[in-house]
């Protein structure tokens, strides 16, 4: 029997039935207000006035009121028994006009509320699942996640909310798992396409879905209540205690889902949505599962499954192209497979050729219907955005590659950081962007193509140039500030003020500056190319100039070549001799680092010509310094010394003390190579004093390394270890991995000379790791050979 009260099945009249309800309320100890609050926490409506009126009258209560009252007052009660008793009493006497029973949606028998068919002893078992996907690949971890969620029943209904972009395979995953685990749900499976995103004008209302579910569970259509809360209460009552699966596919938001959730821990719910249903986690403890793209192998398996392995066996290159341009998106792969299957005699290369053309790729990814047209599928997410968020999405299409930080997007869109974060949250919630680390956003290549392809006509304003200019200015001014943190003594560059609405990203110190350069280097390269295509020539060479210190510390000479080749082109178009001289010089230095001597000296000679023609003494001096370094590396020490001394004279003439120190260090290094150690040491000590006076750590470390070499050459090994160690510490302090590798290699040489072979191998290994990361192949090979020669001595 039921709980602590009398048995409602023994009630002979409505008055006796209500008396039992009053006893139930008295025994619970709850006030009317508490009952209302308890019902509300379950998502049910139970007004205080309704309860009071029900318990005062002698008429049967409404069905929905009875269910909510029992759940709030005595959850242990068997609701079906009370409903059966109420139904029996309602049939015994025709209610008078105006009686509450007459106006209530009462049913002819209890089976209408328990999911039993008329006259049947067993509940109706719905089997509403659509067929599983015909071809399914990968998702091993995701399937395991759903298994784990289903096993961890706890005290509430199990909900796993599957999210991801349109076409990522949310429905396929849900249906695949559901069909694999049918044995877990012997009492049935309910399925509803909520049409949250699609060609329909509006999502399916919860009342419609609830009515369909109730009818599928055996409740006669005439007995389904009209009120949403009452429908939901009845639905929870019917499925209570049953081992059922409920799949709510393509939900728009949490509001659409909550009324459709069972209240029983025996039920499992899968919800799929493009929108991140965080509300379900907060209110119902849902587990969120965000789908990622398929791997290349999974994508190949999926296509091969569609097309047949025999067909793809001799078309591997075309298959690779299809996989690459579908970007791991299951819907794109499915569309490609459908198009290929429709023309089995056609070679896959014809379709691959369509996808190679970025301007036609989205058109190629269509199978002729809205739900199999990638552009249409993306549009449903786009049209769900608020206008400001849609504008952000449109402007992201103007960027070459979307992998941007919050500050960069704020600059692009001319919005304050807080507002920009909220707008990006909308894009993330609809899976149009992905925040892959805090504060940094990516966009799938195909989504980006959609944004770039459709931004102009949708936004109806010519704002892309202005947005790109803001983004270029954001990167230029932030990079310039970062470069000043790394080397404040370098001659300043007169930048134009940033565009209105653009704010550079604040950086506090050299560590933040280097970290920012490491992170944003690909975007800086892109911004320089954007500036060149748009004809913003000063920004082209200015961006190259901001990267010089970073490139030197990370020894990225190939990148240095690329940015200054573009910088030179911009300077020549602008007919700026000073900038041409600078560009030629930096190209010469980069070629020197790459050991391309002929190209290096050609560029440096051109730099001298431009500097002298333009009367730029400082640039002439820096070019002589670069020539000194170049000739020293190629073994002509006497010619190198001439250029170093010319550089020193010119730097002194313009009172540039930091550059004077550089020239002194170069003279010392070259003199050491000529075995003029006394002159070398004196020149380097003067350089060290100047660098320290002007707080220039890179120059200080370079000079300490020179002094270490001089001491080593003189056989003063202990002294050389001290200098090299100080240089290493200073290089590491500023993130100069180029100098760090060279100091470690030199330390190893001294340890080897002292027969400390284990110490030598240890620091050489550290140097080798850095050389390999810096792609200094020849130096790494020589060091590895040296290590192998000493390995047997340990």
């Amino acid at each position: 029997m039921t709980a602590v009260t009398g048995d409602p099945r023994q009630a002979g009249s409505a008055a006796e039935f209500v008396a039992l309800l009053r006893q139930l309320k008295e025994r619970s100890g709850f006030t009317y207000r508490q009952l209302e609050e308890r019902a509300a926490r379950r998502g049910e409506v139970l007004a205080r006035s309704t309860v009071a009126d029900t318990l005062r009258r002698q008429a049967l209560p409404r069905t929905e009121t009875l269910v909510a009252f029992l759940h709030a007052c005595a959850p242990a009660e068997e609701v079906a028994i009370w409903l059966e008793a109420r139904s029996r009493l309602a049939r015994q006497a025709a209610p008078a006009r105006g009686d509450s029973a007459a106006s209530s949606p009462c049913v002819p028998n209890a089976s209408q509320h328990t999911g039993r068919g008329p006259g049947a002893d067993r509940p109706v078992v719905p089997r509403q699942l659509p067929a599983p996907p015909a071809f399914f690949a990968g998702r091993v971890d995701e399937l395991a996640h759903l298994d784990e969620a289903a096993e961890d029943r706890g005290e509430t209904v199990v909900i796993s909310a599957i999210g991801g972009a349109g076409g990522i395979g949310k429905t396929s995953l849900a249906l695949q798992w559901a069909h694999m685990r049918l044995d877990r749900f012997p009492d049935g499976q309910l399925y509803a396409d909520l049409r949250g995103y699609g060609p329909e004008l509006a999502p399916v209302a919860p009342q419609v879905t609830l009515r369909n579910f109730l009818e599928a569970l055996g409740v006669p259509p005439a007995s389904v209540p009209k009120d949403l809360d009452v429908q939901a209460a009845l639905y929870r009552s019917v499925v209570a205690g049953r081992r059922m699966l409920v799949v709510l596919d393509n939900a728009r938001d949490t509001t659409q889902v909550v009324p459709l959730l069972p209240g029983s821990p025996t039920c499992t719910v899968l919800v799929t949505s493009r929108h991140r249903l965080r509300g379900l986690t907060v209110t119902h403890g849902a587990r969120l599962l965000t789908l990622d793209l398929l791997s290349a192998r999974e994508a190949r398996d999926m296509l091969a499954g569609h097309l047949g392995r025999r067909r793809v066996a001799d078309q591997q290159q075309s298959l690779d192209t299809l996989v690459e341009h579908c970007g791991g998106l299951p819907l794109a792969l499915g569309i490609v497979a459908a198009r290929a299957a429709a023309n089995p005699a056609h070679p896959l290369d014809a379709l691959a050729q369509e996808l190679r053309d970025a301007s036609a790729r989205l058109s190629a990814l269509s199978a002729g219907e809205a739900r199999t047209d990638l552009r249409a599928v993306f549009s449903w997410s786009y049209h769900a955005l608020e206008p400001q968020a849609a504008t952000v999405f449109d402007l992201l299409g103007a960027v070459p590659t979307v992998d941007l930080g919050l500050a960069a997007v704020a600059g692009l869109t001319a919005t304050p950081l807080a507002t920009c974060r909220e707008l990006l949250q909308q894009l993330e919630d609809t899976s149009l962007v992905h925040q892959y680390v805090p504060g940094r956003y990516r966009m799938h290549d195909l989504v980006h193509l959609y944004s770039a392809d459709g931004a102009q006509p949708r936004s109806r304003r010519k704002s892309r140039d202005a947005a790109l200019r803001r983004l270029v200015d954001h990167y230029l001014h932030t990079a310039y500030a970062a470069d000043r943190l790394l080397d404040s003594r370098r001659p300043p560059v007169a930048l134009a003020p940033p565009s209105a609405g653009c704010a550079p990203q604040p950086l506090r110190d050299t560590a933040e500056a280097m970290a920012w350069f490491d992170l944003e280097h690909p975007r800086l390269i892109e911004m320089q190319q954007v500036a060149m295509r748009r004809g913003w020539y000063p920004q082209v060479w200015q961006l190259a100039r901001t990267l010089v210190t970073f490139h030197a510390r990370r020894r990225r000479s190939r990148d240095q070549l690329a940015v200054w080749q573009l910088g030179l082109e911009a300077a020549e178009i602008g007919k700026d001799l000073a900038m041409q001289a600078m560009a030629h010089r930096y190209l010469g230095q980069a070629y020197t680092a790459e050991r391309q001597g002929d190209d290096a000296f050609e560029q440096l000679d051109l730099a001298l010509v431009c500097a002298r023609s333009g009367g730029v003494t400082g640039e002439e001096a820096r070019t002589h310094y670069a020539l000194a370094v170049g000739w020293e590396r190629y073994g002509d020490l006497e010619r190198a010394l001439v250029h170093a001394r010319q550089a020193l004279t010119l730097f002194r003439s313009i009172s540039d003390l930091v550059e004077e120190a550089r020239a002194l260090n170069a003279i010392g290094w070259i003199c050491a190579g000529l075995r003029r150690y006394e002159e070398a040491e004196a020149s380097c000590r003067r350089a060290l004093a100047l660098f320290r006076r002007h707080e220039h750590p890179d120059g200080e470390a370079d000079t300490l390394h020179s002094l270490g070499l001089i001491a080593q050459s003189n056989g003063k090994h202990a002294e050389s270890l001290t200098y090299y160690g100080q240089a290493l510490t200073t290089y590491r302090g500023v993130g100069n991995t180029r100098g760090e590798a060279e100091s470690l290699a030199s330390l190893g040489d001294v340890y080897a000379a002292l027969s400390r072979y284990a110490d030598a191998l240890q620091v050489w290994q550290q140097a080798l790791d850095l050389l390999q990361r810096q792609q200094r192949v020849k130096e790494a090979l020589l060091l590895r050979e040296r290590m192998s020669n000493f390995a047997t001595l340990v």
Side-chain angles (χ1 to χ4, degrees):
M1 199 1 252
T2 70
V4 294
T5 61
D7 188 342
R9 291 172 294 190
Q10 303 303 317
S13 65
E16 292 179 8
F17 187 88
V18 173
L20 292 175
L21 291 178
R22 284 197 294 269
Q23 292 179 28
L24 198 61
K25 192 265 182 189
E26 290 169 5
R27 290 177 181 275
S28 75
F30 294 127
T31 65
Y32 292 135
R33 179 186 294 277
Q34 288 172 328
L35 290 173
E36 182 179 47
E37 291 173 350
R38 286 171 61 83
R41 284 197 291 271
R42 293 181 59 91
E44 298 175 328
V45 178
L46 186 67
R48 284 170 282 172
S49 58
T50 300
V51 178
D53 184 60
T54 297
L55 299 183
R56 280 197 304 268
R57 300 176 64 184
Q58 302 297 308
L60 293 172
R62 291 174 177 271
T63 303
E64 60 270 18
T65 301
L66 174 61
V67 171
F69 175 81
L70 293 170
H71 284 160
C73 191
E77 284 293 309
E78 295 182 30
V79 175
I81 293 177
W82 285 88
L83 290 173
E84 184 178 358
R86 185 202 175 283
S87 180
R88 174 179 53 79
L89 293 171
R91 291 195 303 271
Q92 285 177 0
R97 184 173 181 179
D99 194 343
S100 62
S103 59
S104 70
C106 64
V107 293
N109 56 56
S111 68
Q112 294 171 310
H113 292 287
T114 59
R116 300 176 186 273
D121 294 328
R122 301 176 65 184
V124 175
V125 179
R127 306 289 188 188
Q128 293 189 333
L129 288 180
F135 300 100
F136 187 86
R139 305 298 193 203
V140 175
D141 291 341
E142 291 84 351
L143 291 169
H145 175 101
L146 295 177
D147 280 339
E148 181 183 352
E151 291 294 339
D152 185 15
R153 296 185 181 279
E155 295 300 322
T156 60
V157 63
V158 178
I159 306 170
S160 192
I162 304 170
I168 199 70
K170 302 177 293 296
T171 301
S172 292
L173 174 66
L175 293 179
Q176 178 74 9
W177 183 85
H179 280 278
M180 290 171 62
R181 301 292 181 261
L182 282 178
D183 59 314
R184 296 189 180 188
F185 310 109
D187 296 327
Q189 307 91 38
L190 296 170
Y191 173 87
D193 180 356
L194 303 183
R195 299 180 183 177
Y197 297 87
E200 297 81 13
L201 295 178
V204 178
Q207 292 96 320
V208 174
T209 305
L210 279 171
R211 172 173 288 277
N212 292 337
F213 280 179
L214 287 168
E215 291 179 11
L217 290 163
V219 177
S223 300
V224 176
K226 294 182 179 180
D227 183 79
L228 173 62
D229 293 328
V230 181
Q231 282 183 340
L234 178 58
Y235 164 64
R236 288 191 292 271
S237 298
V238 172
V239 300
R242 298 176 67 174
R243 294 176 61 192
M244 296 190 68
L245 173 66
V246 181
V247 179
L248 305 175
D249 193 18
N250 192 16
R252 183 61 170 263
D253 52 33
T254 300
T255 303
Q256 189 188 20
V257 169
V258 168
L260 310 178
L261 299 179
S264 171
T266 60
C267 294
T268 295
V269 183
L270 296 184
V271 185
T272 77
S273 178
R274 300 186 191 191
H275 195 280
R276 298 206 171 182
L277 304 177
R278 294 183 175 89
L280 283 183
T281 301
V282 175
T283 60
H284 291 77
R287 294 195 182 193
L288 299 183
L289 172 59
T290 301
L291 297 194
D292 202 350
L293 303 169
L294 294 177
S295 68
R297 173 179 290 183
E298 291 168 340
R300 288 172 63 89
D301 287 345
M302 184 175 177
L303 275 180
H306 275 287
L307 302 177
R309 299 192 180 276
R310 179 177 299 178
R311 182 177 180 186
V312 303
D314 58 349
Q315 302 187 69
Q316 291 298 313
Q317 187 172 355
S318 298
L319 184 67
D320 290 342
T321 300
L322 295 176
V323 167
E324 176 188 356
H325 292 305
C326 287
L329 196 66
L331 178 59
L333 292 162
I335 292 170
V336 164
R339 291 195 57 196
N343 298 283
H346 292 187
L348 295 181
D349 187 59
L351 186 52
Q353 194 62 40
E354 285 188 62
L355 293 186
R356 287 190 185 99
D357 182 1
S359 64
R361 191 170 301 152
L362 287 179
S363 297
L365 291 172
S366 172
E369 298 179 0
R371 294 188 183 277
T372 55
D373 182 320
L374 208 59
R375 188 181 277 110
V377 169
F378 290 157
S379 73
W380 302 332
S381 294
Y382 175 81
H383 291 303
L385 298 173
E386 295 179 4
Q388 271 190 292
T391 298
V392 173
F393 181 78
D394 289 339
L395 293 180
L396 287 172
V399 183
T401 303
V402 177
D403 185 344
L404 300 174
L406 175 63
V409 182
L412 174 76
T413 58
T415 54
L417 282 176
T419 303
C420 186
R421 184 182 288 108
E422 292 175 2
L423 296 174
L424 284 168
Q425 182 72 65
Q426 285 193 45
L427 299 184
E428 187 181 11
D429 282 346
T430 50
S431 302
L432 289 171
V433 299
H434 171 46
Q435 188 177 188
Y436 66 97
V437 295
R440 195 158 189 90
Y441 301 85
R442 267 190 198 136
M443 185 179 276
H444 188 276
D445 288 347
L446 292 173
V447 176
H448 182 243
L449 268 181
Y450 171 73
S451 177
D453 182 48
Q456 191 84 355
R458 282 199 303 268
S459 61
R460 295 183 181 179
R461 60 179 187 168
K462 298 179 180 179
S463 58
R464 300 179 78 182
D465 274 355
L468 275 177
R469 182 57 182 267
R470 287 193 299 268
L471 188 62
V472 168
D473 281 355
H474 166 81
Y475 276 108
L476 173 59
H477 283 266
T478 305
Y480 182 70
D483 184 61
R484 301 301 291 173
L485 284 171
L486 300 181
D487 188 354
S488 62
R489 303 297 174 180
R490 194 180 291 277
V493 177
L495 302 181
S499 303
C502 161
Q505 184 172 336
L507 301 169
R508 292 173 294 187
D509 51 33
T510 57
E512 275 196 8
M514 286 299 289
W516 185 85
F517 272 125
D518 281 326
L519 182 64
E520 297 288 6
H521 185 262
R523 303 292 80 75
L524 287 163
I525 301 297
E526 286 180 356
M527 291 304 102
Q528 190 198 32
Q529 294 166 351
V530 166
M532 189 68 189
R533 288 194 295 270
R534 302 278 170 168
W536 304 330
Y537 300 123
Q539 283 80 1
V540 174
W541 67 260
Q542 288 166 358
L543 279 164
R545 176 62 190 77
T546 65
L547 285 162
V548 168
T549 307
F550 172 72
H551 282 164
R553 290 188 180 183
R554 290 289 187 257
R555 203 184 182 281
R556 302 184 72 144
S557 50
R558 294 178 188 174
D559 291 321
Q560 185 81 328
L561 280 173
V563 298
W564 279 108
Q565 284 165 348
L566 215 55
L568 175 60
E569 185 180 347
E572 288 175 341
I573 293 172
K575 298 180 180 179
D576 189 326
L577 281 174
M579 291 309 104
Q580 290 177 49
M582 180 187 292
H584 282 302
R585 174 172 61 83
Y586 280 125
L587 283 170
Q589 290 174 309
Y591 280 125
T592 299
E594 288 293 304
R595 300 190 178 278
Q596 299 180 37
D598 292 342
D599 291 327
F601 293 122
E602 179 185 357
Q603 291 295 326
L604 293 173
D605 288 341
L606 288 170
L608 273 183
V609 171
C610 291
R612 287 167 180 165
S613 299
V616 191
T617 304
E619 197 54 52
E620 183 182 354
R622 284 185 280 274
T623 303
H624 277 298
Y625 174 85
L627 283 163
V629 172
W631 286 117
E632 185 275 334
R633 289 194 178 183
Y634 282 91
D636 194 336
L637 300 183
E638 293 292 350
R639 187 182 291 188
L641 188 58
V642 169
H643 283 292
R645 285 176 172 159
Q646 285 179 296
L648 179 63
T649 300
L650 289 170
F651 283 135
R652 283 175 172 167
S653 73
I654 59 175
S655 301
D656 192 329
L657 297 179
V658 171
E659 294 296 344
E660 178 183 338
R662 288 188 198 277
L664 286 168
N665 181 43
I667 290 170
W669 182 273
I670 295 165
C671 285
L674 292 168
R675 299 186 179 182
R676 292 153 60 172
Y677 299 121
E678 186 175 341
E679 182 181 355
E681 185 173 359
S683 186
C684 286
R685 289 195 179 281
R686 288 198 297 275
L688 185 62
L690 281 173
F691 280 131
R692 284 176 169 169
R693 186 190 314 163
H694 293 281
E695 298 180 349
H696 195 286
D698 284 284
E700 180 183 344
D702 288 342
T703 308
L704 287 167
H705 193 273
S706 298
L707 288 167
L709 174 68
I710 294 166
Q712 181 183 356
S713 301
N714 279 324
K716 299 177 181 179
H717 297 311
E719 189 176 326
S720 68
L721 284 176
T722 300
Y723 282 129
Y724 286 142
Q726 291 174 344
L728 178 62
T729 300
T730 308
Y731 281 132
R732 283 175 171 167
V734 296
N736 190 331
T737 54
R738 170 198 59 81
E740 183 182 351
E742 292 166 1
S743 293
L744 286 165
S746 297
L747 275 171
D749 292 342
V750 179
Y751 285 137
L754 293 170
S755 301
R756 294 169 56 180
Y757 303 121
D759 292 332
L761 289 170
Q762 182 180 7
V763 294
W764 277 338
Q765 183 60 53
Q766 295 176 42
L768 181 62
D769 293 341
L770 287 169
L771 291 172
Q772 289 172 333
R773 287 204 294 270
Q774 296 166 23
Q775 298 182 349
R776 297 162 71 174
V777 179
K778 292 181 180 178
E779 293 167 84
L781 180 61
L782 291 171
L783 182 57
R784 190 180 287 108
E785 291 176 356
R786 187 164 175 76
M787 291 171 65
S788 65
N789 293 335
F790 282 87
T792 58
L793 300 176
V794 177

